[in-house]
Amino acid sequence: MGLLIKNAVIVNADKMEKKPQDILCEDGKITQIAVGIDAGTHEVIDAAGKKVLPGLIDIHTHLRQPGREDKETIETGSRAAVKGGFTSIMCMPNTNPVIDNPMVVEFIIREAKRVGLCNVYPIGAITKGQKDEELTDMGELKAAGCLAFSDDGKSVLNSRLFRLSMEYAKMLDVLIIEHCQDPLLTSGGVMNEGAVSTRIGLKGDPAIAETVTVARDIEIALYLGAKVHLAHMSLKRSCELIRMAKAQGIKVTAEACPHHFALTDEACSSFDTSTKVNPPLRTQEDVEAVKAAIADGTIDCIVTDHAPHTKEDKEVGFDGAPFGLIGLETSLALTLTELVHKGIIDLSQMVDKMSRAPARIVGLEHKGMIRQGFDADIVIIDPDRTWTVTQEGFVSKSKNSPFIGWTLKGLVETTICGGKVVYKV
C-alpha cells in the first residue's frame, strides 16, 4: 500500500503547476504524477486548496546531541523539523564530543534512523576538536556519512589550514561550509557595532569581522578553483562581495537566515537574549540588502541556524548569554510572511531557496523536487493561514525564540518523509 495525495497544486523550483494533480508515493519514491490516479488500497490525503511542495531541506542546524541533550536531542530536533516542513536536515559538528570521528557520525545516523521522522545528515568538523590546529580525516568522515565539513560556531582562522581543507574537499567532492567571523576583530562583541549598540551600552561586533573572512574565503576559492559555501550572511557588504565573486565565475554559494531578514539590531534594545545571535542582527540597510540578494540569486538558500539553548542558559544578562535562537518551526512561515507575501520572491523561488538549491549544493540528487523517481519527501502547506507563535506551541526542547507573540502567515499542515506521514496539524 502506498500514499496517494489527491488534488495537489504542485510547486517546484522551476514552476507552480496551474492544475491540480495526484501524486502516488510507493516504497519511499514518487512513482506517478497524473490526474485521476485510482486510490485503490492506498492511504489518501486530500490536498485541495493547499500548496504541495518538495520537503524542505535545512543545511544548517544544531541538534546538540551528543553532549547537550538538555538543550535538544536528535529526536526533539527532528520533531521540530517535521513540524516546520523539513524532511532533511544537516547538523553542525559543535557537539560534545565534536563530530570529528566516524563513531560520532555513526551514532547520529543510527539515532536518526531510530527516531524515523526525517533525514539527518551529520556535518563533519574541519579541524580536530574544532581547535583550528589539525585537519580531520575528511575521507574517513565522508565514508561514515558526512556530506559537508564546517567548524561552525567559529571560523577556521588559520588560513593555511583552511586552504588545505578546501583542497581536500575538492578532491573528495564534498562541501566546505565556513562560519565567516574573525574572532580577533569581534573581541567579545555581543551585538552589531553601530548606533544601537552605542545607545544601549552593549559591546559591538564590527561588520568587518564578517566581511574580511568572506573576502579571504572567496580569494582562496578563486586561487584553488574550489567551491566554498558561506554560512549565515548578514551584511550588505558581504552580499556585494559574493555577487562580484559569482560574476567572475568563482565557485561560491551562500545562505541567509530568516532572523537576518526579519529583524534588525534594534530588536536588541529589548535586552531579550533570544536576539543575541552570531552573526548579530544588523541594520535596516543590511536587512534590505539580504532580501535583495535572496531575490536576485546572490544568496542561494535559506537556512535556520537552529541553535537551541535552555531557559537557564538564556535567562542571564545579555553579555553572559550564549548566542543563538531556534528556527526550525518558524522558518517557513517567516519566509512566507516577510518575503513571499510582500512580493520579494514568489512561491517557486521560495521552494528553490528552501529545498532545491540546498539539495543541489550538498549533492542530494533525488531530493528537492516533486518529480517521478525522486524521493517521496513532500510538505503540504496553507500559505495564507495565519497563526501566532507561542512558547507552548514549540516542540523543540528549547524555547529561545524572539518571534514569540508574532502572528505569521503560512502554516505547515502535513509533512511526508520517504512516503510516510511524519507530521499532521
Side-chain angles (χ1 to χ4, degrees):
M1 185 178 77
L3 176 68
L4 182 63
I5 304 170
K6 301 286 289 184
N7 306 306
V9 175
I10 298 170
V11 186
N12 274 315
D14 53 351
K15 66 175 179 177
M16 181 170 74
E17 300 291 344
K18 294 181 180 179
K19 294 182 179 179
Q21 300 177 80
D22 300 343
I23 306 168
L24 180 60
C25 307
E26 297 174 295
D27 299 321
K29 297 287 184 181
I30 298 170
T31 56
Q32 189 179 0
I33 301 173
V35 176
I37 298 175
D38 181 21
T41 60
H42 302 306
E43 178 185 354
V44 176
I45 295 175
D46 189 354
K50 315 301 179 188
K51 296 292 187 292
V52 181
L53 285 53
L56 307 183
I57 299 172
D58 186 5
I59 63 174
H60 193 141
T61 65
H62 299 268
L63 296 182
R64 305 303 187 199
Q65 190 178 11
R68 288 305 305 263
E69 290 82 358
D70 55 330
K71 297 187 178 189
E72 194 78 283
T73 65
I74 292 164
E75 181 167 354
T76 58
S78 295
R79 292 191 186 283
V82 297
K83 185 182 178 187
F86 292 94
T87 53
S88 296
I89 57 177
M90 296 179 66
C91 55
M92 285 294 178
N94 56 338
T95 50
N96 185 19
V98 170
I99 307 175
D100 62 1
N101 68 83
M103 286 191 296
V104 182
V105 176
E106 290 160 6
F107 163 76
I108 292 168
I109 292 172
R110 186 170 61 249
E111 180 65 9
K113 286 181 178 177
R114 183 196 67 79
V115 171
L117 291 172
C118 64
N119 305 293
V120 178
Y121 301 99
I123 297 172
I126 294 174
T127 66
K128 292 181 179 181
Q130 293 188 291
K131 293 180 179 179
D132 203 16
E133 295 171 354
E134 183 181 357
L135 292 180
T136 57
D137 189 329
M138 291 185 181
E140 198 174 56
L141 289 168
K142 179 186 177 181
C146 291
L147 300 180
F149 293 85
S150 180
D151 268 7
D152 189 66
K154 54 185 178 180
S155 297
V156 179
L157 193 60
N158 184 319
S159 295
R160 177 180 173 275
L161 270 184
F162 191 68
R163 172 193 171 164
L164 289 173
S165 75
M166 288 183 64
E167 289 179 321
Y168 287 127
K170 183 180 179 181
M171 288 188 291
L172 293 168
D173 193 27
V174 292
L175 187 69
I176 292 290
I177 301 174
E178 171 75 322
H179 177 120
C180 296
Q181 188 179 53
D182 186 327
L184 301 177
L185 285 168
T186 59
S187 189
V190 297
M191 67 168 292
N192 183 59
E193 182 178 274
V196 178
S197 65
T198 301
R199 188 181 78 239
I200 65 178
L202 290 175
K203 184 171 176 56
D205 176 347
I208 53 169
E210 176 175 305
T211 56
V212 295
T213 312
V214 169
R216 180 202 71 167
D217 294 353
I218 287 171
E219 286 297 300
I220 294 174
L222 171 62
Y223 184 75
L224 298 176
K227 60 185 179 182
V228 66
H229 181 79
L230 305 178
H232 40 49
M233 292 291 92
S234 66
L235 290 161
K236 178 181 179 181
R237 180 58 182 162
S238 296
C239 294
E240 290 170 347
L241 290 168
I242 296 163
R243 191 175 287 114
M244 288 188 289
K246 287 190 170 189
Q248 295 171 41
I250 301 172
K251 298 173 184 176
V252 57
T253 54
E255 64 186 40
C257 307
H259 49 273
H260 285 126
F261 58 72
L263 294 168
T264 69
D265 56 355
E266 192 64 52
C268 298
S269 299
S270 66
F271 293 96
D272 175 1
T273 56
S274 291
T275 65
K276 184 181 178 181
V277 291
N278 191 15
L281 303 176
R282 304 294 190 178
T283 68
Q284 187 64 47
E285 182 181 27
D286 293 312
V287 167
E288 295 306 319
V290 168
K291 290 179 180 179
I294 291 170
D296 71 15
T298 300
I299 299 292
D300 298 87
C301 58
I302 295 170
V303 302
T304 67
D305 195 7
H306 177 80
H309 292 290
T310 64
K311 180 180 178 181
E312 292 75 19
D313 284 340
K314 278 289 195 177
E315 285 192 348
V316 295
F318 204 95
D319 287 337
F323 293 96
L325 56 78
I326 57 171
L328 284 167
E329 297 168 68
T330 54
S331 180
L332 176 68
L334 283 165
T335 302
L336 284 163
T337 302
E338 296 296 323
L339 300 183
V340 176
H341 290 305
K342 292 183 179 180
I344 294 166
I345 59 174
D346 61 26
L347 271 176
S348 286
Q349 288 174 299
M350 184 192 77
V351 169
D352 184 51
K353 303 297 180 187
M354 300 189 75
S355 189
R356 187 57 186 154
R360 182 185 68 249
I361 289 167
V362 299
L364 295 171
E365 294 181 359
H366 294 98
K367 297 186 184 296
M369 292 191 75
I370 296 178
R371 179 175 290 174
Q372 188 171 324
F374 273 56
D375 293 344
D377 296 346
I378 296 167
V379 59
I380 302 171
I381 71 166
D382 184 340
D384 298 312
R385 184 170 170 181
T386 59
W387 61 286
T388 300
V389 182
T390 65
Q391 181 171 302
E392 299 74 26
F394 285 119
V395 298
S396 170
K397 205 166 190 178
S398 295
K399 317 297 178 186
N400 51 306
S401 170
F403 301 109
I404 292 171
W406 282 42
T407 297
L408 302 176
K409 191 174 183 181
L411 185 71
V412 173
E413 299 209 341
T414 306
T415 304
I416 298 156
C417 185
K420 181 179 75 171
V421 176
V422 290
Y423 173 79
K424 198 169 181 64
V425 74

